[in-house]
Amino acid sequence: GKSISLLFQGEFSDAASTAAEGFAKVGDSALALNPATAVLYQMGQAVGQVAQEANEAARSAAALERRMNALMVQEREHLIVRAETNKAIAETRLAVEDENASFEERVAALEKAIALEQQTIDKELAMARERAEILDAQSKLSESSEETLREVAEARARVVELETQSLKTQKRLEGERQALLKQSEAATNALNAAEAKAAQERLERQYKAQDELDLLLGTEEEREIAALVAKDEKMFALAD
């Protein structure tokens, strides 16, 4: 009788304990002999089952509440981290756009910015998934209102939004990286071409100087032959 009274008062744990203690003192066979005690026996079992289920639900709810509180702390702390990360990203992007820096330095700065942005998105995505999972689990513990179901749906939608944002960010950042690498390659090719041209011009000047020296040091006959060769070359050049 006391266990049933406790059950209706909401004292599930005490109801279960009282029912267990009471019926443990009386054998099952003795209770079954009397129709009245048999009914009480069945009611006691039902009370214990209900109390056990209620206790399990309460423990699950408490665990989910602890997870939600921990998540809220993470989300609050992330606000500061996000602001600091945005500042760091802005600083690295200035280094990326610094044309006075080498391409190696600019690419390194861009890769740092990419890592910071991806790290931030991954953290936000993890928190969004945790929130959606907690809300979904809480909604299953009892009958959910329309407001609760909407909150769960919005949490799931937020996860999808962040996943989409992550994919778009990865694509955009990789595009920026490839564009910068192409600029670096083009600049390197242009520099190599300029250096090759300068080397060719130096070589031609050396040949010309050597020819002039040989002409000065040669005999009169050699000078005449060289002059004729030069004249012929000039005529051929004009003919072309």
Side-chain angles (χ1 to χ4, degrees):
K2 181 180 179 182
S3 63
I4 297 175
S5 175
L6 289 170
L7 175 62
F8 285 112
Q9 293 175 17
E11 301 292 340
F12 298 109
S13 180
D14 291 342
S17 299
T18 302
E21 292 174 1
F23 290 105
K25 297 177 182 178
V26 183
D28 291 346
S29 59
L31 290 173
L33 292 176
N34 189 310
T37 57
V39 172
L40 289 175
Y41 176 72
Q42 294 175 0
M43 291 181 62
Q45 286 185 318
V47 168
Q49 181 65 28
V50 171
Q52 181 180 356
E53 292 176 356
N55 283 334
E56 290 177 356
R59 285 194 295 269
S60 297
L64 289 172
E65 187 66 24
R66 288 193 295 271
R67 283 176 63 183
M68 180 60 78
N69 289 337
L71 176 62
M72 292 173 66
V73 172
Q74 290 182 37
E75 291 174 337
R76 185 172 63 251
E77 292 176 345
H78 183 68
L79 293 175
I80 299 174
V81 174
R82 180 56 165 164
E84 293 174 344
T85 302
N86 286 342
K87 179 182 178 182
I89 291 172
E91 291 174 347
T92 54
R93 286 200 166 277
L94 288 176
V96 172
E97 297 170 2
D98 184 6
E99 296 183 355
N100 293 323
S102 67
F103 275 104
E104 290 77 9
E105 292 172 335
R106 294 172 66 186
V107 170
L110 179 59
E111 290 178 344
K112 180 180 178 181
I114 291 174
L116 288 172
E117 289 200 30
Q118 192 59 53
Q119 176 182 337
T120 302
I121 291 176
D122 289 345
K123 179 63 176 179
E124 292 176 352
L125 183 55
M127 292 189 297
R129 286 172 176 161
E130 173 72 355
R131 175 172 285 276
E133 184 177 330
I134 293 172
L135 291 174
D136 183 58
Q138 288 177 331
S139 70
K140 293 177 180 177
L141 288 178
S142 60
E143 293 186 7
S144 302
S145 63
E146 179 62 29
E147 181 180 356
T148 300
L149 294 175
R150 183 177 181 82
E151 190 175 5
V152 173
E154 289 176 348
R156 290 175 176 170
R158 177 58 178 164
V159 171
V160 175
E161 289 175 359
L162 286 173
E163 288 175 341
T164 303
Q165 179 183 342
S166 177
L167 292 174
K168 289 182 177 179
T169 299
Q170 290 178 27
K171 182 178 180 180
R172 173 176 59 82
L173 294 176
E174 182 58 25
E176 292 181 14
R177 181 175 176 275
Q178 291 300 325
L180 188 57
L181 289 174
K182 287 181 179 179
Q183 291 180 28
S184 175
E185 183 180 1
T188 300
N189 291 339
L191 179 60
N192 291 338
E195 290 178 348
K197 182 179 180 181
Q200 181 64 30
E201 290 175 350
R202 287 195 300 271
L203 186 60
E204 290 176 355
R205 287 195 297 271
Q206 290 175 2
Y207 286 152
K208 184 177 180 181
Q210 185 64 45
D211 290 342
E212 291 176 351
L213 180 60
D214 291 342
L215 185 60
L216 290 174
L217 297 177
T219 63
E220 181 177 352
E221 183 179 357
E222 290 173 339
R223 288 197 295 271
E224 291 177 356
I225 294 172
L228 290 173
V229 171
K231 182 179 180 181
D232 290 340
E233 289 178 349
K234 183 176 182 181
M235 291 177 64
F236 282 123
L238 291 174
D240 292 340

